[in-house]
Amino acid sequence: MNFTALSPWIVAALSSATVLFLLISHWIRPQPRPFIASNIAFWKKAIVQSAPPKWKRGKIPWLSLLLAVLLGVGLVFFAGAPEGLATQKTALAIVIDAGWTMGALTRGGMTRFERALKEAAQIASSEGGQLLWIRAGTSPELLPEIPKEEALRRLQRQGVDDAPSAQDLALELADGMLSAHSQHTHATRRIVYIGDHEPRISTHSRLEWVRVGIPVDTVAITSFCARRLLHAAGEYLFEVEVSNHSNAQASFRLQVQAENIPLFDQTLTLGPREKRLVGGVGSTVHAARLLASITEVQIDGSRDSFSGDDRSFAVIEALRSISLLWVGSPNPFLQALLETHPLLRVTHLSPTEFSKFSKALNSYDILLFDRVNLSDTQDHPAIITFGMGSVDEGKPSKTPSRIDWVRSDHPIVEGIDLLGVSTGRTLPLHLGPDDVIFLRGGASVLGATRQNEGAKRVFFGFSPEASELVQSPRFPLLLHQALRWLKREVPPWPKPVGTGLRAVGKEPITGPGLPFSFWLPRSQKAGIYGLGPTHSVALDSHFWAQPLSGNPEKESQRPTDKDFDRWVLVGWLWLAVLTIEVMLLHRGWLR
Amino acid sequence: MVEKSLVVKFDAKVQALLARARLRVTPRATSFRQGEHPSPIRAKGIEPSDLRPYVPGDDVRRIDWKAFLRSRTLVVRQFEEERNANITLFVDTSASMGIGTPSKLEVARFVAAAIAFVAMRQHDVVESILFAFAQGAAPSFQTLWHPEGWPSWLGTIESAKASGKTDFEGAVKSFVQKGSQRSLAVVISDLLAPGFPQGFRLLTSRGHELHVIAIACDADESPPVEGAIEVIDSESGERLHVEVDESMRQALRQAIRAHREACRESVQRMGGTYVEVNVAMKPEVIVQRIFGGRA
């Protein structure tokens, strides 16, 4: 594949020079040796008896000259790929779906993926233009500019991924590459998508779908997800969606295991085209890999034709223990509340002890101040305070407050019904314009957060003394979610599997602006478990999602058109001079 | 003097062969002068040839009286008159005779000199005709009447160059128009041109005895070249591009041999003799060939 083109003027000049050169070389070509004969009439008779047909004798030299001219001009055009003629060429991107469904068997006994490779080979053989190869696995992968056979071998070696393909991204990538390329060559852009799912997006390039595989009867796990419960540290919920993709009744055994510990094991029966959602609960503070599997599938009058969708994985991340320094007067409610958290290690100091406390505060994950002065702790990254200043300094209002406004989308109060709950007496808070208020009681601010330069603060404008809120089950949940918000890290996988991934590490993957490669490790090796289009969990934190872009490194290494032109011209002239010199020497015109 | 110059031209072997060689001419082709060839004239010769009945007017001195005593019939004796012969040498000096190593012309000179030498020793008259058509030039006639004229005659033969086109028929016509006596016409040529059979026919029709010596050359029949060549006609200058391979060489050999065979048949049909020599042959072999049937 050659993405470099010469200008039409240069190609025309080269073609003319080639024709001229061939004509001159024909004119001064080495002549046959002279031989003096007694009588040429006998030679003519001999020619008639032994020579090939007359037309061959006369036409062969001219035919060979014509052929040489055509070959020479063709060679120049092939090497030059003139821009002016590029509109008649086609820049083709072959996108091969490598999602998990491509592993299904077709009627011929081969998988859909193998069939797709065959189709791709045929298309590539019949295509004379420029060719891009893109593998649409869990992320799109642009193969380097390699010969067709090498590309097919590489695709065959990689096989299919264990998750749905990133079809949309792959097509977008192909479209973007072709658009960028066509700005230089004006080639006709064409994308051939070979896969078993109809393309879902429209592209600027002409998109053709080569469908491989036909719908088959299968019982599938169409969704499997697991997440920790917000209100119960250590516990998690899992949900499995199973679907019957057939027109007959299907029965099967569904099992869910967490590290070989059975969580669910039932035989289910689904009607034609029926879906069902089943779920359950598990508990662990450690990371756990959950496996959902379907076995013993029986479909009336048919069979389960695709086994790739009979297993699915989900991952529960490990809970981290949190060290908390509680500074304040003893408070039985707060103490009981903190003790219910299984991961919390609490150190309690009275305000007097805290004034003599010499240990670095940064060794604690979270500081909790119950009506204590914050002047020495401003640089700590996570602090919860009840009121501003000491107990003596605090000036609580005389009337108890009742929560009458909740910002429901705030993560600290998400899912907790707090409206109408009394908080006791309110405490004054000194808030800034950028602070986010999530609880109000009349004119009083009862809850707010502050976040700047990595430091997080949670302010509660009520006392953790006996009140309706503190004594209700909502208070532990509120505090736990506050702790969770303080320690929340940006998840390393903000996008689900199927979006473009780029990994950091020793291998060629780094951050923006630094050299990187298109090559991506396969999801199985990377520890990414695809569980459907909207759920995914990665074990390795050095992966995160980012859309793919061009390849600036390779772009910069490409020779410019100007360089290419110069070297082509120099090479051509050198060959022409050598050839003419040899011919002139042969004729004796040079001494 | 003449003999000495001949010793210089021919080596010992050739000399020995030529000393024994004889040119035999049929009686009808003899001349009028006395020589060594039997003639058809029955006259006062030395060699008895036949008896016939006496008729009045016969010389009574020629009556065979012994025969009269045996048969009581008068018979007279007849004698053969021995005369010399005219030898006409048609030597081809066209450009095609310059081909070969040695050239065909050199061999033709040698053959002509050998025949002339033998003829001169037999007191025959040798007339040489160098025929090659050149623009505005007539065939060159040179007659060797007696041994004193040998150096001059030989000089003419030796100075002949291979050039011009072959025109045997024209040379014969010029010869005939000159009103020559009957002779032994010896044609020395490579025969690689049209018009030879017509010339042969014209000569024999005028009573000349025909003797053809064809000079062959391997360069004609099997050219030492391979691959693409440009063939140039030595006489006309015509050019032709040819790819030479074994089949081509074979076809060329067949074409030339067929032509020479046609010439040979033509000569024999007219009562003449045909001898073929090759430029690669040794001189003594050539002498044996050309005098083989006559020496």
Side-chain angles (χ1 to χ4, degrees), chain A residues 556-575:
Chain A
S556 64
Q557 290 172 355
R558 183 180 301 164
T560 63
D561 284 1
K562 194 176 176 182
D563 294 338
F564 185 71
D565 293 354
R566 188 166 62 237
W567 286 112
V568 167
L569 283 172
V570 168
W572 192 94
L573 284 174
W574 181 67
L575 275 176

Side-chain angles (χ1 to χ4, degrees), chain A residues 433-504:
Chain A
D434 295 331
D435 295 341
V436 178
I437 299 169
F438 58 86
L439 280 182
R440 280 184 184 277
S444 304
V445 175
L446 299 177
T449 54
R450 179 181 299 165
Q451 186 172 5
N452 50 17
E453 297 177 355
K456 288 183 175 179
R457 303 284 184 270
V458 177
F459 305 108
F460 287 117
F462 56 88
S463 167
E465 302 291 350
S467 66
E468 183 186 350
L469 173 62
V470 172
Q471 290 174 347
S472 77
R474 299 180 185 90
F475 186 56
L477 192 57
L478 182 66
L479 192 58
H480 284 185
Q481 290 195 176
L483 294 172
R484 187 182 179 86
W485 180 80
L486 283 172
K487 290 307 294 175
R488 174 179 286 180
E489 295 169 353
V490 176
W493 49 92
K495 293 186 180 181
V497 167
T499 59
L501 289 176
R502 194 171 65 181
V504 292

Side-chain angles (χ1 to χ4, degrees), chain A residues 5-12 77 80-89 184-187:
Chain A
L6 296 180
S7 73
W9 290 109
I10 291 178
V11 173
F77 271 71
E83 293 169 359
L85 299 179
T87 51
Q88 299 170 1
K89 293 186 174 179
H184 301 290
T185 62
H186 308 291

Side-chain angles (χ1 to χ4, degrees), chain A residues 29 31-47 49-51 57, chain B residues 96 99 104 192 220 223 226 228-234 238 240-242 248 251-252 259:
Chain A
R29 72 192 184 281
Q31 296 293 323
R33 286 175 294 161
F35 178 77
I36 297 175
S38 294
N39 192 331
I40 208 166
F42 296 102
W43 287 85
K44 289 178 179 175
K45 282 184 187 174
I47 287 171
Q49 290 174 9
S50 68
R57 286 205 308 273
Chain B
S96 67
I99 291 170
K104 290 183 277 186
L192 298 181
D220 286 334
E226 190 74 32
I229 61 167
E230 186 181 37
V231 179
I232 304 169
D233 192 301
S234 58
E238 186 181 350
L240 182 68
H241 287 267
V242 182
M248 176 69 196
L252 182 65
H259 174 75

Side-chain angles (χ1 to χ4, degrees), chain A residues 258 308 349 376:
Chain A
L349 294 175
D376 298 332

